Amino acid sequence: MKYDFKTIESKWQNKWDEAGCFRASDDHTKPKFYGLVEFPYPSGAGMHVGHIKAYSGLEVVSRKRRKQGYNVLFPIGFDAFGLPTENYAIKTGTHPRKVTDDNIRNFTSQLKKVGYSFDWSRVVDTTDENYYKWTQWIFLKMFEAGLVFRDKTLVNYCPSCKVVLSNEDSQGGKCDICHSDVVQKSKDVWYLRITEYADKLLEGLNEVDYPENIKLQQINWIGKSKGAFVNFEIKGTGEKLKIYTTRPDTLFGVTFMVMAPEHPMLEKYSSLIKNYADVEAYKAECAKKTEFERTQLVKEKTGVKIDGISAVNPVTGKEIPIYISDYVMMGYGTGAIMAVPAHDTRDWEFAKKFGIDIIEVIKGGNIDEEAYTGDGEVVNSGFLNGLTNKKDSIEKMLEYLEEKGIGEAGVQYKMKDWAFNRQRYWGEPIPLIHCENCGIVAVPYDELPLRLPKVDNFEPGSDGESPLAKIDSFVRCACPKCGREARRETDTMPQWAGSSWYFLRYIDPHNDKEFASAEELKYWLPVDWYNGGMEHVTRHLIYSRFWYKFLYDLGLVPYSEPYAKRSAQGLILGPDGDKMSKSKGNVVNPNDVVDEYGADVLRTYVLFMGDYEKAAPWSESSVKGCKRFIDRVWNLLEIVKDGDGISPELETSFHKTIKKVSDDIETLKYNTAIAALMTLLNQIYDKGSVTKGELKTFVTLLNPFAPHVTEEIWERLGETELLATAPWCDYDEAKTVEATIEVPVQICGKLRATVSVPADADAATVIACAKEDPKIAELLAGKTVIKEIYVPGKIVNIVAK
RNA sequence: GCGCUUGUGGCGGAACUGGCAGACGCGCCGGAUUUAGGAUCCGGUCCGUAAGGGUGCAGGUUCGAUUCCUGUCAAGCGCACCA
């Protein structure tokens, strides 16, 4: 009887739905498990096989946990604000609300067809006003706490999407949404002061179970460095130019200084600068360059020497020139540096080009050839001379600087504050009001949600203004403080806002008094296991930790870190080994796979295809292999016999497999768990029959991977309760080892024979047994045995000459 | 340039704290069944006729190395003039 997956899969999906067996329970006496997957952006293209891999991993864990008696929260939702929807809406003239609703409906039906055990009663949609009400609420809390500020600065701006982008969204000088070149633009921008949490975000990493590479990526992204701030006197003005350096030990080697072209001191002393026209021209040139061009010009240093003002090296007292150059960024440190050409590659290149002195202060390299950045003995440095340890000389210099009042120790971060606004329609309105009288005023909490007005025209303005600015009824309002006429902020929040706290809403999704109740939060938090993509490590994962830590500081959430454990799945590549993309035409649609082979096959395949954390190409014929496996499991019904127990010849195999599958699911080794089940299946077929007891154990183990076929077999074996909620299998450690084992025998490290011995035999017995083997005896004849090694249960090695 | 990761059959990948390299699956070869194809089932499949040789390459430690150490090459990902 052929396995009719279409009928059977939808049958069980309906039964699970009716039974409500995947709803998290309110029973707080049970141990809990909160498994979280990154909720999808409901795009028009529908689901991607990458989603399937991402969700199938924790799906297996969640199904296993339920069987182990945990109260499981395994939720799903939709991160639905964002540009792709809005762009599609503009193109087709459909309202983004409708586009979003259609896409969510489509995603929901696709997810249900795969048979995931999500708790569908807790779905969260970030564009739902009952959700974004709380996004705005948390934002206002941040505003109250002084974490929201407005600044006119150079920002990353995408001329094509007409939006300001955060640093995280413009990596590599490309817009993350449309991939066109990002330009620098001067604009009023709302920022969230994430840098205030830099240290907390760093320290928190010690408390969590994340893979090392994810921790490292976050550490590098935050980019904390220790160094010193040093004040250089500007000759004849009494003004100090403050710089940041990580190498105060090289201060005696400073032969010039460099300011960023945007440095404010230039304007301040414009009257003293004789070549101010040149300076202005250089500034204009830099402003025109895109981020991309700036990185392309790494090889060739450019700059202008400032004629008219100079600085004094505070330790040597020598007068040194000041330059401006775009290799110094206004956004890092103080926007000015002390240049030590002998020991910094960039300074060296600059000095060579402009003919500036290069003074060696650390021995060990050839500074005529290149900058020496290694360690060595300090020379030409007064009181530091002779020191050989970098740490010592830095310490000594810092003491000196502090004593003389020239400088002090300090830290810097690469991470920048989070540019938090978009000039677009499809996002959460920022609940702030501009009042001429009172300044920036928060929308009162009881007026939340501040709803997106319903409009017909949501195209962005050509001048980079939000579409909301055109809607008079939205913009004009009364100031909540003084009552006079005021204007609403018309920018919306960036896409990352809603996803920064969604995992908290799942805990208590229908609460209309709070974002979630303290009691529920205390029970369910932290998220026990969070799986998602590597691409979110420096964005969503940092942003959401930041929001969470802020709420923790307000006492609104119970533990200092949101995610106890994080894992990341590897990409699924196209069959050609390239990254899947529409333009390459190598995209596999999960829907087609479900239609052709069934959901169980799709789920099994994405977990079997390779190491879960590594990228692997899609292979249609391997999918067929999984199809064969599922069919062979189904066909066990044809050789099933009465009997509750496990037959003696398969007892060890079953116990081994239960142990292996149980362990492998916990360590993301889904591929070897499935392989172990395939091996056991082959052994059952070798035996020729299967008892009901054996088959029940087998389908229990396979159930988290292939829930439909196993549920159907379970029912046909006469079970009346759902397999989904039936208990997991136990194993007996003692029964996982064979009574007799095959021990390989080596002579001088080369395998020569294997012998059968009782598993508990001692070394002497096993070695004696090995020597009795005819082949071993023959090879040892006439030789002297030097050493005999027996590793219990593993190997015998005889060293002979 | 810096950081991280990975190099194992024709392919995806296994191999516990150093202990039989290639589990499991795909593909391929042979056979059975079939009018034929497909599907299914059975057997074989690292290379070499063999001795032997094999985990990117060259060394080292060890009775024994895919695993540890040193050097080197290659690929992927991330960051990138971060002072």
Side-chain angles (χ1 to χ4, degrees):
Chain A
M1 128 202 73
K2 204 165 170 271
Y3 177 50
D4 174 16
F5 66 83
K6 286 207 165 139
T7 314
I8 289 172
E9 289 187 347
S10 66
K11 164 184 165 184
W12 289 105
Q13 285 159 15
N14 292 333
K15 289 217 177 198
W16 295 328
D17 227 18
E18 285 161 24
C21 56
F22 303 131
R23 288 204 195 136
S25 144
D26 292 331
D27 178 2
H28 289 192
T29 60
K30 276 169 104 184
K32 64 94 182 179
F33 176 77
Y34 185 176
L36 181 67
V37 292
E38 285 170 352
F39 62 166
Y41 179 78
S43 72
M47 293 234 296
H48 186 269
V49 282
H51 290 116
I52 305 293
K53 188 171 173 186
Y55 302 159
S56 295
L58 273 190
E59 154 80 352
V60 167
V61 176
S62 297
R63 281 193 179 257
K64 181 182 168 220
R65 286 284 188 283
R66 279 186 207 100
K67 293 174 154 301
Q68 290 174 314
Y70 286 84
N71 184 11
V72 171
L73 174 55
F74 186 47
I76 191 72
F78 300 96
D79 185 14
F81 273 132
L83 276 178
T85 297
E86 185 168 337
N87 288 343
Y88 178 82
I90 291 169
K91 209 167 86 187
T92 60
T94 327
H95 195 278
R97 178 73 267 160
K98 181 172 174 1
V99 177
T100 300
D101 288 342
D102 289 350
N103 288 347
I104 287 180
R105 208 171 303 120
N106 184 31
F107 265 68
T108 301
S109 98
Q110 291 195 358
L111 285 164
K112 288 197 168 177
K113 271 177 82 175
V114 186
Y116 288 127
S117 64
F118 292 128
D119 181 345
W120 288 101
S121 70
R122 293 178 184 244
V123 171
V124 149
D125 166 6
T126 56
T127 64
D128 181 342
E129 62 181 47
N130 294 316
Y131 180 85
Y132 72 69
K133 169 181 177 178
W134 298 106
T135 310
Q136 292 171 329
W137 186 88
I138 298 171
F139 176 86
L140 285 183
K141 287 283 169 194
M142 289 186 159
F143 179 73
E144 261 174 31
L147 290 175
V148 177
F149 68 99
R150 194 170 166 82
D151 197 10
K152 189 172 182 107
T153 44
L154 285 181
V155 296
N156 303 306
Y157 180 79
C158 173
S160 165
C161 297
K162 295 174 183 142
V163 283
V164 172
L165 297 168
S166 71
N167 262 21
E168 286 81 349
D169 283 339
S170 54
Q171 296 181 19
K174 299 274 179 191
C175 169
D176 197 53
I177 301 146
C178 71
H179 304 287
S180 44
D181 286 348
V182 170
V183 296
Q184 304 295 301
K185 197 169 176 174
S186 180
K187 228 178 164 4
D188 275 323
V189 176
W190 289 104
Y191 284 98
L192 294 190
R193 221 181 279 281
I194 189 172
T195 51
E196 192 148 301
Y197 276 77
D199 275 321
K200 282 181 179 169
L201 289 168
L202 270 180
E203 283 156 20
L205 292 174
N206 295 321
E207 298 164 27
V208 293
D209 177 15
Y210 292 6
E212 270 321 298
N213 59 335
I214 290 184
K215 283 191 188 183
L216 268 164
Q217 252 192 63
Q218 293 209 344
I219 290 168
N220 290 340
W221 185 257
I222 295 167
K224 182 175 184 170
S225 83
K226 284 183 187 162
F229 290 104
V230 185
N231 291 307
F232 282 66
E233 191 190 328
I234 304 292
K235 213 176 171 190
T237 62
E239 176 95 26
K240 305 277 197 226
L241 178 56
K242 191 177 193 177
I243 60 93
Y244 175 74
T245 178
T246 53
R247 294 294 303 273
D249 57 317
T250 60
L251 204 42
F252 282 92
V254 174
T255 53
F256 62 102
M257 302 191 76
V258 188
M259 289 195 270
E262 307 88 12
H263 199 284
M265 198 175 273
L266 290 168
E267 228 169 295
K268 189 169 173 191
Y269 290 105
S270 54
S271 57
L272 294 177
I273 300 172
K274 290 176 191 156
N275 58 341
Y276 196 68
D278 296 346
V279 170
E280 293 266 77
Y282 184 73
K283 277 174 81 164
E285 200 182 302
C286 294
K288 259 194 301 187
K289 287 183 192 172
T290 64
E291 189 89 14
F292 180 70
E293 280 167 333
R294 271 173 97 141
T295 54
Q296 286 302 292
L297 293 168
V298 167
K299 307 142 219 150
E300 190 70 6
K301 293 276 178 291
T302 60
V304 174
K305 183 177 176 178
I306 298 177
D307 193 2
I309 59 174
S310 60
V312 177
N313 183 323
V315 291
T316 63
K318 277 190 194 151
E319 186 176 344
I320 51 174
I322 305 173
Y323 290 78
I324 55 170
S325 172
D326 64 356
Y327 84 88
V328 173
M329 309 288 147
M330 200 55 226
Y332 183 79
T334 63
I337 60 157
M338 64 176 217
V340 187
H343 306 292
D344 180 282
T345 321
R346 296 148 302 169
D347 298 346
W348 189 90
E349 284 168 17
F350 194 87
K352 277 282 170 193
K353 183 161 177 189
F354 287 86
I356 309 166
D357 289 348
I358 300 175
I359 300 173
E360 180 179 58
V361 290
I362 307 278
K363 265 184 158 171
N366 179 2
I367 57 159
D368 294 332
E369 292 296 321
E370 60 180 350
Y372 176 66
T373 54
D375 292 342
E377 190 191 334
V378 180
V379 292
N380 298 324
S381 295
F383 61 92
L384 292 182
N385 282 342
L387 291 175
T388 52
N389 185 315
K390 186 160 132 191
K391 217 180 128 195
D392 293 343
S393 38
I394 288 177
E395 217 165 89
K396 203 160 173 190
M397 179 56 89
L398 280 174
E399 270 171 34
Y400 178 83
L401 293 175
E402 276 169 35
E403 191 191 309
K404 298 275 175 190
I406 307 167
E408 60 189 352
V411 290
Q412 277 295 305
Y413 303 92
K414 284 185 202 174
M415 186 169 70
K416 306 227 168 61
D417 281 319
W418 175 5
F420 197 76
N421 52 330
R422 298 296 124 97
Q423 295 67 41
R424 282 299 193 117
Y425 173 74
W426 198 231
E428 300 88 346
I430 291 178
L432 293 175
I433 290 165
H434 301 261
C435 170
E436 279 186 21
N437 212 30
C438 313
I440 306 288
V441 181
V443 169
Y445 286 106
D446 60 13
E447 286 179 23
L448 296 182
L450 172 59
R451 292 183 180 86
L452 259 182
K454 291 202 171 71
V455 294
D456 296 327
N457 182 5
F458 28 79
E459 292 207 29
S462 56
D463 49 355
E465 278 240 294
S466 164
L468 294 182
K470 287 180 285 194
I471 304 162
D472 215 40
S473 57
F474 176 80
V475 175
R476 291 167 64 137
C477 64
C479 170
K481 256 192 194 163
C482 68
R484 286 186 224 185
E485 192 175 317
R487 294 174 58 83
R488 283 191 196 282
E489 171 61 48
T490 56
D491 283 359
T492 53
M493 297 187 198
Q495 160 116 57
W496 306 103
S499 60
S500 289
W501 73 282
Y502 74 112
F503 58 98
L504 298 173
R505 190 61 177 170
Y506 284 143
I507 288 172
D508 196 3
H510 309 296
N511 194 328
D512 55 4
K513 307 273 184 305
E514 307 158 279
F515 66 84
S517 85
E519 191 196 338
E520 295 290 329
L521 289 167
K522 182 134 182 67
Y523 175 69
W524 285 110
L525 284 175
V527 171
D528 292 283
W529 191 338
Y530 190 14
N531 184 66
M534 281 307 286
E535 69 274 23
H536 291 130
V537 167
T538 53
R539 289 192 258 180
H540 162 65
L541 209 57
I542 292 238
Y543 291 152
S544 60
R545 287 182 61 223
F546 162 49
W547 277 45
Y548 182 88
K549 281 178 173 294
F550 167 71
L551 293 172
Y552 177 70
D553 286 349
L554 293 187
L556 296 172
V557 289
Y559 313 103
S560 65
E561 280 286 335
Y563 317 121
K565 174 176 179 160
R566 167 80 185 191
S567 58
Q569 78 279 353
L571 282 181
I572 297 183
L573 306 171
D576 52 4
D578 288 333
K579 206 170 158 176
M580 281 190 191
S581 75
K582 257 191 235 161
S583 57
K584 284 198 194 109
N586 59 355
V587 177
V588 177
N589 182 343
N591 245 6
D592 298 345
V593 182
V594 172
D595 288 344
E596 191 166 354
Y597 302 101
D600 285 340
V601 172
L602 173 65
R603 296 163 54 116
T604 307
Y605 174 64
V606 294
L607 295 179
F608 180 66
M609 64 192 298
D611 185 331
Y612 188 68
E613 294 173 280
K614 284 193 211 145
W618 184 268
S619 158
E620 177 86 17
S621 48
S622 289
V623 176
K624 285 182 185 157
C626 289
K627 167 77 175 151
R628 228 167 270 164
F629 170 61
I630 298 294
D631 285 343
R632 270 160 61 84
V633 171
W634 174 252
N635 289 336
L636 286 174
L637 282 171
E638 286 172 15
I639 57 165
V640 70
K641 285 183 180 165
D642 280 338
D644 285 336
I646 288 168
S647 50
E649 65 241 75
L650 286 181
E651 191 173 47
T652 309
S653 295
F654 264 94
H655 283 270
K656 263 188 186 165
T657 307
I658 295 169
K659 180 180 160 77
K660 178 135 188 79
V661 172
S662 302
D663 293 351
D664 283 356
I665 288 175
E666 299 304 318
T667 51
L668 297 159
K669 297 172 112 183
Y670 309 110
N671 54 338
T672 51
I674 295 167
L677 287 165
M678 288 173 168
T679 307
L680 182 60
L681 181 68
N682 290 341
Q683 287 173 348
I684 291 170
Y685 273 108
D686 284 347
K687 194 183 68 158
S689 69
V690 63
T691 67
K692 282 188 177 175
E694 287 166 348
L695 187 48
K696 281 181 196 171
T697 303
F698 189 89
V699 294
T700 301
L701 292 175
L702 181 61
N703 178 252
F705 299 93
H708 310 88
V709 69
T710 50
E711 195 80 69
E712 179 70 18
I713 293 173
W714 183 256
E715 188 187 56
R716 289 186 187 218
L717 290 175
E719 293 289 339
T720 49
E721 300 292 317
L722 286 172
L723 176 56
T725 50
W728 190 242
C729 315
D730 290 325
Y731 62 92
D732 181 349
E733 185 72 47
K735 289 183 179 163
T736 60
V737 285
E738 311 272 356
T740 306
I741 52 170
E742 294 283 312
V743 177
V745 182
Q746 296 183 332
I747 293 178
C748 297
K750 286 205 192 299
L751 180 71
R752 296 300 181 189
T754 56
V755 292
S756 268
V757 294
D760 54 357
D762 63 15
T765 315
V766 178
I767 289 167
C769 190
K771 284 178 170 172
E772 275 168 27
D773 183 273
K775 193 170 176 201
I776 299 297
E778 189 193 323
L779 285 161
L780 285 179
K783 288 188 178 167
T784 324
V785 173
I786 299 166
K787 203 169 179 181
E788 293 167 335
I789 296 150
Y790 174 57
V791 182
K794 301 283 187 201
I795 204 162
V796 171
N797 192 8
I798 299 170
V799 187
K801 251 187 188 167

